[in-house]
Amino acid sequence: MTVLNSIRRLLLPLGLLGLALIWAAPGHAQMAPGFTVSIAPPPLPVYSEPPLPADGYIFIPGYWAWGGPNGFYWVPGTWVQPPAQGLLWTPGYWSLAADGVSYVWQPGYWGPSVGFYGGVDYGFGYYGSGYDGGYWDSGFFFYNSRVHNFGRVRVAHSFAKAVPAVRSARVSFTGAARGGVDARPGPNEDAASHEQHAPAVDLQVQHETKAATIRSAPVTVNHGRPPVAATQQPATFTGHGIVAARPITSHPVPTRTSSPPPQSQSHGSPPPGQGDDRDHH
């Protein structure tokens, strides 16, 4: 461990605390922790990842949010810059409430590790447990070239790791009693829950809020196949970099390059457990 890495690890908790205090200010319009609805969220749509806008961005998968009279609406997946080096995104998820009939929203967050997200297979590295989309090392984010769509961006650090076999179900909530995912936090996810967390950045909040204004976003309109399923830039739902959902009959495979792009370079090797070429479920 270098002196520089030691300093980074000492400063990371302080930075997270400061970020949490800043973002805890009023005005964030995302669904609050414990927000409850009486209707099960729809299945996740099938869509591809738009091209990476620039090195250093992390892809945040899409999810169903609640829009009041319009019911559930789709918040497109998008690329976001993490608020600080070393931070990863744990997606939010819906879970069956203790009463067995309603559904509770558990918001996503930024932290040093990826925690529990209900066992939901969002794709793009989030296959129900952990994260196969990349990792941080010495202040750099290493992308899994089997998962992400680099487009024409020069990626300085990448590696290749096989992704899990695709599951046909597109269940978007946890709760086996009502047909949801049967999942419980594992040891690593329990450990991640005790780390310092920071909520979604302002652009993510704007992205969710503005998505509610898309006419095709409500499930009553798109019937589970939103025309704007993912975007290259957050809170931007027209123009270049917009991806539409595909028919459910096709397999929900994540967009990936067949091999690292010519301009992409891989430096070093993945940490133990990151670089094998086997499928993980």
Side-chain angles (χ1 to χ4, degrees):
M1 180 185 299
T2 65
V3 174
L4 183 57
N5 283 340
S6 299
I7 294 174
R8 285 195 181 110
R9 294 189 179 185
L10 286 172
L11 292 178
L12 181 58
L14 295 176
L16 278 168
L17 178 59
L19 290 169
L21 291 173
I22 293 171
W23 292 328
H28 283 222
Q30 281 200 318
M31 291 180 291
F35 181 82
T36 304
V37 299
S38 59
I39 304 173
L44 297 170
V46 180
Y47 63 99
S48 300
E49 185 180 87
L52 174 70
D55 199 356
Y57 280 67
I58 291 178
F59 189 73
I60 310 299
Y63 56 94
W64 292 105
W66 182 257
N70 291 325
F72 285 102
Y73 70 93
W74 180 249
V75 180
T78 193
W79 291 97
V80 174
Q81 283 186 307
Q85 290 182 355
L87 300 187
L88 298 169
W89 177 250
T90 295
Y93 66 97
W94 290 97
S95 64
L96 185 65
D99 61 14
V101 294
S102 54
Y103 301 85
V104 181
W105 175 248
Q106 311 292 345
Y109 58 85
W110 293 96
S113 307
V114 172
F116 185 64
Y117 49 94
V120 176
D121 183 359
Y122 284 107
F124 313 106
Y126 299 97
Y127 301 115
S129 179
Y131 179 56
D132 287 331
Y135 64 92
W136 288 93
D137 185 26
S138 301
F140 298 100
F141 188 75
F142 287 69
Y143 292 88
N144 187 351
S145 63
R146 300 288 187 91
V147 172
H148 296 300
N149 177 10
F150 296 156
R152 298 183 178 182
V153 171
R154 179 183 179 86
V155 175
H157 303 85
S158 67
F159 66 101
K161 177 186 177 182
V163 297
V166 174
R167 289 183 276 181
S168 58
R170 303 295 297 170
V171 179
S172 62
F173 67 94
T174 182
R178 289 281 179 170
V181 180
D182 186 6
R184 298 290 185 277
N188 291 339
E189 293 161 325
D190 275 333
S193 68
H194 298 293
E195 297 174 336
Q196 185 70 51
H197 298 156
V201 299
D202 285 340
L203 265 178
Q204 289 174 272
V205 177
Q206 294 170 20
H207 184 73
E208 179 181 299
T209 303
K210 192 173 179 180
T213 67
I214 304 174
R215 292 185 178 181
S216 61
V219 68
T220 53
V221 177
N222 62 49
H223 305 292
R225 189 180 168 186
V228 184
T231 69
Q232 190 177 44
Q233 298 288 345
T236 301
F237 305 116
T238 59
H240 176 74
I242 305 302
V243 176
R246 304 195 302 272
I248 299 296
T249 52
S250 63
H251 290 295
V253 295
T255 295
R256 55 184 172 83
T257 52
S258 58
S259 60
Q263 69 271 28
S264 174
Q265 298 178 348
S266 289
H267 297 289
S269 58
Q274 292 275 8
D276 58 272
D277 198 37
R278 298 170 293 175
D279 286 346
H280 294 267
H281 301 272

